[in-house]
Amino acid sequence: VSGRTLAEKVLSRCSGEADARAGDIVEAAPDLVFSHENTYLVNKSFSELRMARPWDPSKIVVFLDHRSPANNAQTALVHARIRQIVKDRGIGSFFDVGEGICHQLLVEKRIARPGQLVLGADSHTTTAGAIGAFAAGIGATEMAGIWATGSIWLKVPETILVSLDGHLDCGCFSKDIALHLAKTLGASGADYKCIEFTGSHLFDTSIAGRMVLCNMAAEAGAKAAVVPADSTIGVWYSGCGTKDWSPVRSDPDASYCSKMTLDVCKVPPMVSGPDRIERSDSVEKFADIAVDQAFIGTCTNGRLEDLVAASWVLKDKKVASGCRLIVAPASRSVLEDAIGMGVIQTIIKAGGTIIPPGCGPCLGAHEGVLAPGEVCISSSNRNFKGRMGSDEAAIYLASPATVAASAAAGRIADPREVLTFDL
Amino acid sequence: LTSEVRVWRFGDDVNTDLIIPGIYLDNYDPINLASHAMEGANKEFARNVRQGDVVVAGRNFGCGSSREQAVIALKHAGVSFVIAKSFSRIFYRNAINLGLPAVVSPDASEVFSDGTAVTVDIWSLVMTSKDGSKAAKLLPIPDRAREILESGGLISYIKKQLREGQPSR
């Protein structure tokens, strides 16, 4: 009998099964669940069950981030209803308008812990795998089911082992690796599977970078993506006063459905688009595509190191005439730290516009919606047709540095022209 | 469970932004959502879809956002089945949980063209054109999903289990 993967270990523990294996269906009790504006839908389904309180409100977190602050009266009403739901149902933890994006806060505030089973009513729940949790997205109605019963049926997934080795070149970032992997795997290449990251490159990769990798795994259809607990994750949790976690790692002889290796020194700055994640290639292939809007932010790339990279590119530069740069910090803390470091000042001086912490224009709700015929280069995760507004707009995905370089050039540009290690 | 209806055919990787674009998500009214169903993929769909019609698609149907409104929009537009080569995980669960049968077929998207009148029989696992000239194979719905569908969706399923006093779902 082979050893067990992290996915198998976490789902065994949460289901009380002695040895749940890939392919088994288990009844799992999550350690932590969350939802955002769709809490409205969760509560609608939950109300049909005529229960006053969820099974364990202390394990539920609710965020207002997707249309935050409210983009219209309809959303404002939804927000108001959710605030009431949080009170009525005794929800353990609530993050209102301006606090930031759910996936960011779960990690930043150390709400999610290594080894936990985290389920969120959002497809990018995979992001919390960055701290060694098994984190998967689910729908609103099944979240209501968890509110009622504290459990959910899940299939134990097979795991793809992705080994990242070596060092990135200057001007290249975790986002470039993520776009490279998504191209290799394709939009359904990891469907129903867990991606587990390993390899020497992880020693280089911050929690923020790991969040990018796990976040973008959703674009290949992954159920979960995980960086098993290591010293970087240990340090992340050491200062927060909680001992309430223990590292979970796959056994050395665990069984994987496939293994991939990537020498990251060969990964150039990548661009993906429009419309399909697989349409990815080195930035030069997209050179000279004129850009109307450049957007930096989201659960993928709105963290401090992303804004620092953007300001490094934009120092003493101006956003090109005819192009607009929109920047949404992923959380209030990111914004505060970026102000403290002078990063926000650099971006504003360059002609950028700062919008409130939250999902911003990523899902086409507000704060930078695109017109027909417009081109946007974005640090977000989805370039689907119509995602950011008009279905006649084109969206290209790239790292924050590439987005910033493109904003300054007014066309898709290579950040390596600006960023060098010769400081 | 059989019905005679028309096919609306779509390609691979139809994401939930195409099924219900993000700009419509601030209004949770199912009638509003249905009036924009599939708008990103076929602007004629919402206007012309008839009660019972079938969505037939290629690989990875429903990828992207977990938005349950994608299923609500299709269901309230009148769609009776979604039949695809494969489904994205969250969409599949949402469909079953809201009582919309999502069925895997290795060949339906190649066999049937847009507008074909068809009969779908998910228990005997065949889908045939009304004129009998074409047929596609349907794969069985997994046991757990079938139980939820037969209850009319997850909430009814849980209600039943709570009534019967089962410790877990």
Side-chain angles (χ1 to χ4, degrees), chain A residues 34-35 38 41-42 120-122 136-146 152, chain B residues 66-68 89-91 93-94 97 154:
Chain A
F34 70 95
S35 49
N38 57 14
L41 280 178
V42 175
D122 189 275
I138 61 171
T141 293
E142 50 193 356
M143 183 60 78
I146 294 175
I152 184 171
Chain B
S66 66
R67 58 188 67 168
E68 202 160 274
R89 190 188 137 257
I90 303 177
F91 178 90
R93 294 182 69 109
N94 286 345
N97 288 336
L154 183 68

Side-chain angles (χ1 to χ4, degrees), chain B residues 12 56-61 83-87 103-110 139:
Chain B
D12 293 336
V56 173
R59 276 182 292 111
N60 202 26
F61 187 83
I83 292 163
K85 226 173 225 183
S86 67
F87 289 93
V103 188
V104 177
S105 169
D107 53 352
S109 64
E110 279 141 38
L139 299 188

Side-chain angles (χ1 to χ4, degrees), chain A residues 153-176:
Chain A
W153 71 273
L154 292 173
K155 194 176 200 175
V156 181
E158 296 181 307
T159 298
I160 302 172
L161 187 66
V162 175
S163 181
L164 304 175
D165 298 305
H167 306 287
L168 281 165
D169 193 8
C170 190
C172 302
F173 298 85
S174 298
K175 180 61 164 289
D176 299 306

